[in-house]
């Protein structure tokens, strides 16, 4: 009964006897319980260390040491608490060992690093499972979706409302599809960070830098010739196949691919009239830039340091940094590298 508190069966038997008689010496306990007196002394010593029994303050002259039981609620509560803490540490230890076991398995078994799934419905289900368990989702969206069209991605708005972050790069051909502009504009208004590029190398979804899904085979039946069919490349015509990539160097490479595409992509915005801006990506004249802004941009593009720019413009370095931040906001850039890219894309220095 008291094993959970770290009290053995023999110790519990001695303690219960003392609770009944209130006071006894080792020899008396041994005689009543039919135990060896030496063993009883060891049990009493252990119970004393655990705070379950105490020694009487006054002993009869020349008499044996006598023991009394301590109140069980006061004595056992700390033992139970320590037992609970020990169980919690054990639980954490098991979790750590389990993760080390899985990590070791992944290092020795590539099948645990990359899982192959087949079928549009299976891929859709896995994408939704990833999304509902993530704090951040990153998408590379090419034209002609394989498993999950934008119009079917209803859960994105729900998850955006819950605080899940979405960073999405759209291929421009995809944005030209029916209803796509309104769909993307709605997502941006809901909190999605969106950008666009001319073409994307792959389709990709990354959840929390912990897992990614990347389609492997998604040719339709019409797009596969007879020689490919003969080789078995399209045994399931029209059925897409995707790789689910877990934590590994391969996942790190896919994340790096996304970030490089993100840095080069053009930010998309919703205008006051509700339209999606920056869709065509064509260079734009910088007629709205003042001469000093154009000069500042030319110095930034040339790689001139802030201190030197401040000296040339006869302003403080802090003023230079503030003006650069304002230009970055107008260009939809998060870094100076992105600002230089946007300046070239928009033709601001024409």
């Amino acid at each position: 009964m008291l094993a959970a508190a770290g009290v053995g069966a023999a110790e519990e038997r001695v303690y219960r006897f003392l609770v009944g008689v209130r006071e006894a010496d080792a020899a008396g306990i041994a005689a009543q319980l039919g135990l060896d007196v030496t063993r009883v002394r060891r049990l009493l010593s252990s119970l004393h260390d655990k705070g379950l029994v105490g020694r009487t303050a006054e002993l009869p002259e020349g008499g044996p040491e006598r023991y009394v039981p301590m109140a069980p609620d006061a004595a056992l509560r700390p033992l139970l608490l320590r037992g609970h803490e020990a169980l919690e540490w054990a639980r954490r230890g098991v979790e750590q060992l389990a993760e080390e076991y899985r990590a070791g398995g992944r290092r020795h078994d590539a099948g645990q690093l990359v899982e192959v799934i087949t079928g549009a419905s299976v891929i859709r289900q896995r994408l939704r499972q990833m999304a509902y368990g993530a704090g951040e989702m990153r998408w590379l969206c090419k034209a002609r979706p394989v498993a999950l069209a934008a119009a079917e991605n209803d859960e994105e708005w729900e998850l955006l409302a819950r605080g899940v972050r979405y960073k999405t790069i759209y291929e421009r051909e995809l944005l030209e599809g029916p209803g796509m502009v309104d769909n993307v504009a709605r997502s941006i208004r809901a909190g999605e960070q969106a950008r666009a590029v001319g073409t994307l190398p792959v389709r990709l979804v990354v959840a929390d830098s912990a897992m990614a899904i990347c389609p492997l085979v998604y040719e339709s039946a019409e797009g596969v010739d007879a020689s490919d069919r003969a080789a078995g490349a399209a045994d399931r015509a029209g059925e897409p196949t995707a790789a689910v990539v877990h934590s590994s160097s391969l996942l790190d490479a896919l994340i790096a691919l996304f970030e490089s595409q993100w840095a080069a992509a053009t930010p998309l915005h919703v205008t006051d009239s509700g339209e999606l801006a920056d869709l065509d990506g064509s260079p734009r004249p910088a007629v709205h830039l003042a001469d000093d802004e154009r000069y500042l941009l030319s110095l930034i593009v040339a790689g001139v340091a802030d201190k030197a720019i401040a000296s040339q413009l006869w302003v403080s370095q802090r003023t230079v940094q503030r003006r650069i931040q304002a230009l970055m906001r107008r260009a939809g850039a998060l870094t100076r590298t992105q600002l230089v890219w946007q300046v070239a894309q928009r033709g601001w220095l024409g």
Side-chain angles (χ1 to χ4, degrees), residues 193-252:
Q193 298 179 57
R195 298 192 174 194
V197 294
T199 59
L200 286 169
V202 294
R203 308 173 197 274
L204 178 67
V205 182
V206 180
D208 283 344
S209 299
M211 183 184 300
I213 292 183
C214 181
L216 299 174
V217 178
Y218 47 85
E219 293 86 0
S220 65
E222 292 80 4
V224 181
D225 60 29
S227 61
D228 285 335
R229 286 195 185 90
D235 292 336
R236 292 178 296 274
E239 283 293 305
T241 298
V244 181
V245 182
H246 299 275
S247 296
S248 60
S249 297
L250 176 57
L251 178 61
D252 294 341

Side-chain angles (χ1 to χ4, degrees), residues 13-24:
R13 187 180 177 198
V14 171
Y15 177 70
R16 285 181 175 276
F17 176 79
L18 278 173
V19 169
V21 300
R22 305 299 293 176
E23 183 179 329

Side-chain angles (χ1 to χ4, degrees), residues 42-297:
R42 287 199 301 267
L43 293 172
L44 287 168
S45 177
S46 177
L47 289 168
H48 183 270
D49 292 341
K50 293 174 180 177
L52 284 168
V53 302
R55 298 182 178 94
T56 55
E58 297 182 3
L59 296 176
E61 186 176 351
E65 195 169 37
R66 299 181 68 81
Y67 294 86
V68 294
M70 308 304 293
D73 52 348
L76 291 172
R77 187 175 294 113
L79 293 177
L80 290 171
L81 181 60
R82 286 197 293 271
H84 175 75
E85 292 174 348
L87 286 173
E88 180 62 19
W89 279 107
R91 184 188 64 80
R92 294 179 183 177
V94 169
E95 289 180 353
Q96 182 179 356
L97 285 172
E99 179 54 34
E100 291 176 3
Y101 176 83
R102 288 191 292 267
R106 288 194 293 266
R107 285 192 295 269
H108 293 88
D109 184 0
Q112 296 188 40
L113 292 175
V114 180
E115 174 189 354
V116 177
I117 56 178
T118 301
S121 61
V122 176
I123 297 174
R124 279 196 298 270
Q125 180 64 23
R126 197 61 174 270
L127 287 171
R128 284 169 172 150
Q129 288 174 352
M130 284 174 56
Y132 277 104
E136 181 183 59
M137 296 291 291
R138 286 177 277 189
W139 289 73
L140 294 183
C141 296
K142 288 178 64 68
R144 296 177 295 280
V146 172
L148 185 63
E152 300 173 349
N153 192 13
D154 298 330
E155 67 270 9
E156 177 179 345
W157 298 309
E158 175 190 344
L159 293 171
L160 282 167
R162 292 185 186 179
V164 178
R165 299 179 301 278
Y166 272 77
K167 294 175 68 175
T168 306
I169 306 175
Y170 296 96
E171 204 169 58
R172 293 197 183 277
E173 183 182 348
L174 176 64
L175 295 174
E176 295 171 0
M180 275 302 300
V181 168
D182 291 339
N183 186 283
V184 174
R186 178 183 174 185
S187 295
I188 293 173
R189 285 194 295 269
E192 177 185 277
Q193 298 179 57
R195 298 192 174 194
V197 294
T199 59
L200 286 169
V202 294
R203 308 173 197 274
L204 178 67
V205 182
V206 180
D208 283 344
S209 299
M211 183 184 300
I213 292 183
C214 181
L216 299 174
V217 178
Y218 47 85
E219 293 86 0
S220 65
E222 292 80 4
V224 181
D225 60 29
S227 61
D228 285 335
R229 286 195 185 90
D235 292 336
R236 292 178 296 274
E239 283 293 305
T241 298
V244 181
V245 182
H246 299 275
S247 296
S248 60
S249 297
L250 176 57
L251 178 61
D252 294 341
L254 292 174
I255 293 171
L257 171 64
F258 176 92
E259 293 302 331
S260 66
Q261 292 292 318
W262 182 263
T266 303
L268 299 177
H269 306 279
V270 178
T271 65
D272 293 337
S273 61
E275 298 177 346
L276 198 60
D278 290 332
L279 284 180
D280 58 9
S282 59
R284 302 177 184 185
V287 294
H288 57 291
L289 289 177
D291 290 340
D292 61 338
E293 290 176 322
R294 190 175 289 107
Y295 180 51
L296 172 59
L297 281 174

